[in-house]
Amino acid sequence: MKNTITPIDYELVMPDDDFISSKTNIKDILTYVNPLFIEYSGYKESELLGQQHNIIRHPDMPRVIFKLLWETIRNNREFNGYIKNLAKDGSYYWVFTNVAPSFSSDNELLGYYSVRRKPDAEKLNYIKNIYVDLLEIEQQSSAKEAIDNSLYKLNTILNGREKGYDEFILTI
Ligand SMILES: Cc1cc2nc3c(=O)[nH]c(=O)nc-3n(C[C@H](O)[C@H](O)[C@H](O)COP(=O)(O)O)c2cc1C
């Protein structure tokens, strides 16, 4: 479901000890949300379960970050990253998220699991600047070239640090 919420300039700041978690099936459909997911997103549990995870996608997020997220988890690795989420009333909340694939005892992919906590303020400031640049590139590019151009820019930043995205995120 693509949402049509108008974002507002109001931030919900997570306290240090909150964890927001969710589970999806292999098709990205929400199958579980914890009480804090419900609280921050502003939806009822019944409005969330059965919906796609992009129900909380914020338009300020560069598409390339979600491309990396899906590439990583589809390769059976866990993804770590900073995400700006959109609540039902248009407000936003930044999270540091870990998304991981979940397997049965005989190694069958069951779905995906994610846990989010409050991002470190200094690291988040650094990330915000990068996201502004990536979003601008994506908006100025044709739909076909947007992700490639944005990925090129991100790789330029990462290559300057001689790190992959995962290592970069965990060590900034
Ligand atoms: C377990 C799991 C957790 C996710 N958490 C978020 C999240 O907190 N915020 C978000 O915008 N996307 C999250 N995503 C990514 C969404 O599936 C989706 O790719 C993203 O919102 C971009 O949506 P779009 O491709 O329709 O633009 C998560 C995906 C999975 C599998």
Side-chain angles (χ1 to χ4, degrees):
M1 184 183 97
K2 287 280 172 204
N3 68 53
T4 49
I5 295 163
T6 306
I8 57 171
D9 190 16
Y10 185 80
E11 181 171 13
L12 306 165
V13 180
M14 292 184 73
D16 287 340
D17 45 6
D18 274 2
F19 288 93
I20 301 177
S21 62
S22 58
K23 286 184 195 179
T24 68
N25 65 14
I26 51 174
K27 293 189 170 156
D28 195 30
I29 301 292
L30 283 162
T31 55
Y32 170 77
V33 287
N34 76 342
L36 285 172
F37 191 110
I38 295 169
E39 190 180 317
Y40 281 91
S41 69
Y43 291 95
K44 294 189 195 123
E45 187 180 43
S46 59
E47 293 175 303
L48 292 165
L49 300 183
Q51 300 300 324
Q52 286 209 285
H53 215 309
N54 67 8
I55 189 167
I56 55 165
R57 189 216 199 286
H58 199 289
D60 287 354
M61 278 298 294
R63 286 162 59 192
V64 70
I65 301 303
F66 297 118
K67 175 190 160 71
L68 289 174
L69 183 157
W70 279 100
E71 259 175 28
T72 308
I73 60 177
R74 286 209 173 105
N75 280 309
N76 296 341
R77 289 183 291 119
E78 50 180 77
F79 171 88
N80 293 290
Y82 295 81
I83 299 185
K84 183 178 188 175
N85 278 327
L86 181 69
K88 188 180 182 181
D89 68 357
S91 52
Y92 64 93
Y93 52 107
W94 278 98
V95 296
F96 179 60
T97 189
N98 173 276
V99 186
S102 155
F103 298 95
S104 70
S105 52
D106 41 1
N107 241 8
E108 184 200 350
L109 180 66
L110 297 174
Y112 302 101
Y113 182 70
S114 66
V115 182
R116 306 166 187 78
R117 57 183 169 80
K118 180 183 180 171
D120 174 90
E122 210 175 305
K123 293 176 183 177
L124 183 59
N125 265 335
Y126 184 67
I127 288 289
K128 278 180 185 169
N129 288 328
I130 295 177
Y131 283 7
V132 167
D133 287 350
L134 297 178
L135 189 68
E136 196 182 320
I137 288 171
E138 292 179 14
Q139 286 169 343
Q140 286 170 358
S141 304
S142 65
K144 201 166 155 250
E145 289 175 338
I147 298 255
D148 283 351
N149 291 348
S150 181
L151 192 58
Y152 182 83
K153 171 73 179 174
L154 182 61
N155 283 334
T156 310
I157 297 166
L158 298 180
N159 289 341
R161 298 174 154 259
E162 294 180 346
K163 284 178 180 163
Y165 178 77
D166 287 358
E167 196 189 349
F168 166 70
I169 286 297
L170 293 174
T171 57
I172 52 168

